[in-house]
């Protein structure tokens, strides 16, 4: 049997130690090359796009040295983080790279409390930081529709825990006893044409596997005439109008005689459950869509070297504009409603 990817040398092309040993200047240059990749790291004015600038080295109130640039054309002063997710950052740039390599190496996700211990920062700081990374994964996602062979399925979050005493337990089959906060995570995964797993994944949060939700999720994310494998639940019944719909029956076999199979969707759920139960424990519905998209990213990049993945996440975050949801979060600037598919 082939060696597991995480045991190969390719899974550890960079270590947390290597990043921790970088100087602040090396970390800055890393971010500059990712942000200004067209000029190989030469600063580009965030106001007018001019590439001629002076260097001004300043020191922050906390004694941190900051490399600032002043545009020769429009006189705007800027740094590598100006106008990005990390604008007005309190930590050193190297700390952000360390956070990103820790986030990358956590193949089942990482909770804010674990990140706060790793970086020696308050829980609130770590909470916003890991959410900024998740937001950058969403904002820079390739939204081209899936095509070819797709697997679709749903799993549930927020199930009601039965009461201790038998006489207090509710009949959870009855509609009036259902937990109103229960949500369904819908997933669609495009199979790799080489036949090794799946390589692109879309997710959505719904209140259940209703036909309408599944139809709108599929039409938004999957090209017409693709082939969709599902477990044959009623909600997937309409798909055959637009797709070749192949339904398996898990009560008989997980892989049917004619190749019916949604194991790649199950593989996604498996990683998601490890994040949910083993790492984050409580996933609020408000940001559930961000967590499941993180799991989708990890599944799709499960065989990418950790250095490539770290640089990809660093590039996505340094190229994400100042975020409306994650600037001033603890001052009250918060998302007010869930991201639900109708
Ligand atoms: Zn300028």
């Amino acid at each position: 049997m082939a060696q597991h990817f995480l045991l190969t040398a390719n899974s550890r092309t960079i270590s947390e130690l290597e990043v921790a040993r970088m100087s602040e200047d090396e970390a800055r240059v890393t971010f500059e090359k990712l942000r200004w990749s067209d000029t190989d790291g030469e600063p580009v004015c965030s106001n007018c796009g001019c590439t001629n600038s002076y260097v001004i080295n300043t020191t922050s109130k906390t004694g941190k040295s900051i490399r600032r640039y002043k545009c020769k054309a429009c006189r705007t002063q800027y740094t590598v983080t100006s106008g990005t997710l990390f604008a007005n950052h309190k930590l050193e740039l190297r700390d952000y790279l360390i956070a990103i390599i820790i986030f990358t190496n956590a193949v089942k996700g990482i909770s804010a409390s674990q990140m706060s211990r790793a970086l020696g920062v308050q829980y609130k700081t770590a909470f916003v930081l890991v959410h900024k990374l998740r937001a950058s994964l969403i904002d820079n996602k390739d939204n081209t529709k899936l095509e070819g062979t797709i697997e679709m399925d749903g799993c549930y979050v927020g199930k009601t825990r039965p009461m201790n005493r038998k006489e207090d337990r509710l009949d959870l089959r009855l509609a009036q006893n259902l937990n109103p906060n229960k949500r369904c995570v819908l997933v669609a995964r495009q199979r790799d044409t080489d036949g090794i797993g799946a390589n692109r994944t879309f997710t959505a949060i719904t209140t259940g596997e209703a036909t309408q939700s599944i139809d709108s999720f599929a039409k938004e994310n999957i090209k017409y005439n693709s082939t969709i494998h599902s477990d044959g639940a009623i909600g997937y019944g309409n798909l055959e109008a637009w797709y070749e719909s192949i339904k398996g029956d898990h009560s008989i076999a997980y892989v049917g005689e004619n190749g019916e199979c949604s194991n790649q969707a199950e593989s996604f759920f498996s990683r998601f459950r490890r994040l949910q139960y083993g790492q984050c424990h409580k996933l609020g519905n408000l940001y559930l869509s961000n967590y499941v998209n993180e799991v989708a990213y990890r599944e799709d990049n499960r065989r990418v070297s950790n250095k490539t993945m770290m640089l990809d996440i660093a590039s996505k975050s340094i190229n994400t504009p100042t975020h409306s949801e994650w600037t001033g979060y603890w001052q009250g600037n918060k998302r007010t409603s869930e991201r639900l598919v109708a």
Side-chain angles (χ1 to χ4, degrees):
M1 193 181 161
Q3 192 177 29
H4 191 286
F5 176 76
L6 292 179
L7 294 176
T8 66
N10 210 23
S11 72
R12 48 186 148 80
T13 49
I14 193 167
S15 71
E16 290 167 23
L17 272 180
E18 278 171 73
V19 181
R21 286 181 188 131
M22 286 170 92
S23 66
E24 177 65 0
D25 270 342
E26 287 171 321
R28 174 181 52 76
V29 169
T30 304
F31 276 121
E32 287 179 350
K33 288 195 172 196
L34 294 170
R35 173 143 194 215
W36 298 310
S37 53
D38 291 347
T39 56
D40 194 31
E42 285 305 308
V44 179
C45 174
S46 50
N47 181 46
C48 73
C50 172
T51 51
N52 281 326
S53 61
Y54 309 99
V55 173
I56 311 170
N57 284 313
T58 52
T59 310
S60 73
K61 285 178 197 159
T62 53
K64 193 172 61 180
S65 110
I66 300 170
R67 171 71 64 99
R68 202 174 279 283
Y69 302 99
K70 185 170 180 180
C71 175
K72 286 187 180 176
C74 74
R75 321 294 285 173
T76 298
Q77 289 193 24
Y78 60 95
T79 70
V80 66
T81 63
S82 293
T84 75
L85 263 188
F86 297 141
N88 306 314
H89 56 101
K90 310 286 188 299
L91 301 175
E92 293 203 330
L93 289 172
R94 182 182 50 185
D95 299 354
Y96 289 99
L97 268 191
I98 295 172
I100 292 169
I101 184 65
I102 292 171
F103 184 85
T104 302
N105 285 345
V107 295
K108 298 174 183 75
I110 186 163
S111 66
S113 62
Q114 186 165 337
M115 185 63 93
S116 82
R117 293 191 294 276
L119 298 179
V121 299
Q122 283 187 23
Y123 173 81
K124 287 181 169 183
T125 306
F127 178 86
V128 169
L129 175 49
V130 286
H131 264 301
K132 279 183 173 176
L133 300 182
R134 291 184 190 112
S136 78
L137 297 181
I138 291 183
D139 290 4
N140 296 282
K141 193 176 173 85
D142 172 7
N143 287 319
T144 320
K145 286 186 177 186
L146 305 179
E147 59 182 318
T149 307
I150 319 296
E151 298 185 11
M152 273 184 82
D153 205 352
C155 82
Y156 288 84
V157 179
K159 289 177 185 167
T160 307
R161 184 180 293 199
M163 298 297 281
N164 178 37
R165 297 167 67 87
K166 190 179 171 218
E167 57 270 30
D168 296 333
R169 289 178 200 160
L170 299 169
D171 183 349
L172 297 176
R173 292 166 299 182
L174 301 176
Q176 69 264 30
N177 293 336
L178 289 180
N179 178 355
N181 294 320
K182 186 175 168 181
R183 294 289 177 267
C184 172
V185 177
L186 277 185
V187 68
R189 303 199 70 202
Q190 176 180 296
R191 277 194 205 158
D192 202 327
T193 44
D194 298 338
I196 309 169
N199 55 7
R200 292 191 62 221
T201 306
F202 282 111
T203 52
I205 311 299
T206 63
T207 51
E209 285 173 286
T211 310
Q212 191 194 350
S213 309
I214 288 169
D215 287 356
S216 63
F217 175 59
K219 284 192 220 169
E220 194 182 325
N221 297 301
I222 305 172
K223 278 190 184 166
Y224 289 160
N225 295 325
S226 297
T227 302
I228 299 181
H229 290 245
S230 67
D231 62 8
I234 297 168
Y236 299 88
N238 270 4
L239 292 178
E240 52 209 25
W242 306 282
Y243 304 100
E244 186 187 350
S245 175
I246 298 180
K247 296 173 194 156
D249 184 345
H250 287 183
S251 65
I252 297 171
Y254 292 114
V255 181
E257 284 180 358
N258 302 312
E260 310 93 325
C261 173
S262 53
N263 283 353
Q264 294 308 315
E266 299 296 345
S267 169
F268 167 87
F269 295 139
S270 169
R271 192 181 297 263
F272 171 65
R273 292 300 190 202
R274 281 158 176 78
L275 175 140
Q276 182 194 9
Y277 295 136
Q279 268 293 326
C280 296
H281 300 209
K282 274 195 109 172
L283 299 182
N285 285 344
L286 206 50
Y287 295 107
L288 186 55
S289 54
N290 297 38
Y291 288 101
V292 296
N293 182 68
E294 174 196 340
V295 177
Y297 177 84
R298 292 187 186 283
E299 269 291 295
D300 294 344
N301 290 283
R302 67 200 177 285
R303 290 195 185 92
V304 171
S305 83
N306 70 334
K307 186 173 185 180
T308 306
M309 192 164 151
M310 180 195 100
L311 291 176
D312 184 50
I313 297 173
S315 172
K316 285 181 161 76
S317 48
I318 200 69
N319 285 296
T320 299
T322 309
H323 211 274
S324 57
E325 288 187 335
W326 298 106
T327 306
Y329 175 86
W330 293 107
Q331 284 73 44
N333 176 37
K334 294 180 187 179
R335 181 181 286 191
T336 50
S337 60
E338 297 174 47
R339 301 288 183 267
L340 274 175
V341 165

